[in-house]
Amino acid sequence: MSSHHQIPSYLTPHETGPWSVYLEQIDRVTPYLGHLSRWVETLKRPKRILIVDVPIERDDGSISHFEGYRVQHNTSRGPGKGGVRFHQDVTLSEVMALSAWMTIKNSAVNVPYGGAKGGVRVDPKTLSRGELMRMTRRYTSEIGIIIGPDKDIPAPDVNTNEQTMAWMMDTYSMNEGRTATGVVTGKPISLGGSLGRREATGRGVFVVGCEAAAKRGLNIAGSKVAVQGFGNVGGIAARLFSDAGAKIVAVQDHGGTIFHSNGLDAHKLLEHVEINGSVAGFAGAEAVIPSEEFWSVDCDILIPAALEQQITEKNAHKIRAKIILEGANGPTTPEADDILSDKGVLVVPDVIANAGGVTVSYFEWVQDFSSYFWSEDEINQRLTRIMKEAFNSVWHVTEDKKVSLRTAAFIIGCSRVLQAREVRGLYP
Ligand code: NAD
């Protein structure tokens, strides 16, 4: 990765984390931004970063402190919006990059939000349910000074779910002295959550996957699919591809990598993960394979749906898939993008491929504001329409400008943000 980027003083000077990946992506799109490139620096600096100490009393009476973040990358087009991640490897660079990708994504699919993201550096598996609840509540209270239904709206991400959102919504509401359902999305249905939200990201991955497959003349029925990460995004995407007749030949998660040449039973695997927390030990696998072999598995479609910087210059040349659908945010480094492009692999970038989640989050927020709830059919139809339109607009730019889908999505996403910036003008 080029090291000429100006790294802010609050990151290490030799930053090579996700924020550097994002800056490189911005450099690649800048030549296509025309007169708006005058404003591009605004995308290279998060608007606001809040770092909080999150102390909790453990069940044994001891005290633990965790590091929490909320980054609002950009709010030119609307309030901040983006998930909250609980993971032992969360860093400021990661949360900054994730918040920036939210800005680009929300703009690329044209939902009226800026970009934000949050995280706590903790392995939630090491906490009891009570400890997890106290940690979530304290974190919410600490970031409560900058979030709100019309300021910044968190949602689930890695290791957070509907229960996390319910605790966040309750904590914010208690502090405000009123029930504020619209402060988070991805809530349980009983608290103003939306039908279809839990499946939305995986469903969006599937919808754009079908569009991409059609462009490449690939039939989903009978195709071979490999998935990294079998959580909310990867698990649902795998199920939908399998229901459409694809074979899920390999799945990798934090616990191991399993393989079946004739396809794993996605429904049974979901049940197994629900009970055991990982794909490890699944009886329906033909083989357990070493984690590095996952990348060279014979497949047509590869879906990274776990963490950032998984597809790098070290493994990109091994990949045999024709199409990569980025369920995860930032799974592919710029160097790997170049290798894949030379090999003719079609990479559908995160900012389009996984935008189904924030799209239905937007529907949830709208439903909360109007206190009028839509049917699941209506939600899925609207989601499918928006995802197809977004994919096809990006495809059009790709053909027109002879650029990758990622650069095309960034051209659309960055242009809308910078147009808003320009017309608003600088304050004061
Ligand atoms: P999740 O917590 O439900 O699942 C995460 C999965 O990744 C698990 O299967 C876990 O075992 C696996 N994993 C973790 N570390 C791993 C490792 N080192 N190697 C292999 N697998 C590993 O999280 P999720 O919500 O499915 O999020 C997955 C990705 O999708 C993230 O990049 C997230 O930012 C992105 N995303 C999520 C949403 C959403 O609505 N939840 C929306 C857009 C993008």
Side-chain angles (χ1 to χ4, degrees), residues 86 127-141 159-175 183-184 186-188 191:
F86 292 166
L127 303 183
S128 70
R129 184 182 155 88
E131 289 169 341
L132 184 61
M133 181 180 77
R134 293 196 290 282
M135 200 276 294
T136 303
R137 286 184 177 286
R138 182 60 187 256
Y139 167 70
T140 308
S141 200
N159 291 333
T160 56
N161 56 24
E162 293 176 5
Q163 179 61 72
T164 322
M165 294 306 114
W167 289 330
M168 290 188 74
M169 176 274 204
D170 183 69
T171 304
Y172 181 84
S173 296
M174 288 298 116
N175 286 347
V183 67
V184 289
K187 297 181 293 293
L191 291 181

Side-chain angles (χ1 to χ4, degrees), residues 85 87 98 105 117 156-160 197 201 228-234 252-255 277 305-308 310 327-329 354-355 357-358:
R85 176 173 298 191
H87 195 277
L98 290 166
K105 183 185 309 177
K117 200 86 181 194
D157 192 74
V158 174
N159 291 333
T160 56
R197 173 60 185 91
T201 311
Q228 187 201 36
F230 207 73
N232 178 273
V233 180
Q252 173 170 93
D253 76 358
H254 72 278
L307 301 171
E308 307 85 47
Q310 298 297 301
N329 287 303
N354 70 36
V358 75

Side-chain angles (χ1 to χ4, degrees), residues 254-265:
H254 72 278
T257 310
I258 58 173
F259 175 83
H260 201 306
S261 49
N262 281 328
L264 297 151
D265 184 324

Side-chain angles (χ1 to χ4, degrees), residues 5 19-33 40-41 43-44 73 100-101 104 410 414 418:
H5 295 121
W19 182 249
S20 300
V21 170
Y22 165 75
L23 289 182
E24 176 72 25
Q25 293 167 346
I26 291 295
D27 281 353
R28 289 180 176 207
V29 71
T30 304
Y32 301 95
L33 296 176
V40 79
E41 194 64 26
L43 294 170
K44 297 188 187 177
H73 173 258
W101 286 320
I104 310 297
F410 269 63
C414 294
L418 298 182

Side-chain angles (χ1 to χ4, degrees), residues 23 45 66 87 104 154 156 243 311 313 348:
L23 289 182
R45 292 155 194 272
F66 302 101
H87 195 277
I104 310 297
D243 290 350
I311 303 177
E313 76 270 24
V348 185

Side-chain angles (χ1 to χ4, degrees), residues 223-275:
S223 65
K224 289 180 245 167
V225 178
V227 190
Q228 187 201 36
F230 207 73
N232 178 273
V233 180
I236 301 292
R239 193 191 79 202
L240 292 170
F241 274 103
S242 162
D243 290 350
K247 288 184 212 165
I248 311 302
V249 289
V251 175
Q252 173 170 93
D253 76 358
H254 72 278
T257 310
I258 58 173
F259 175 83
H260 201 306
S261 49
N262 281 328
L264 297 151
D265 184 324
H267 290 265
K268 290 208 173 110
L269 186 55
L270 282 168
E271 281 170 28
H272 174 88
V273 171
E274 177 79 32
I275 297 163

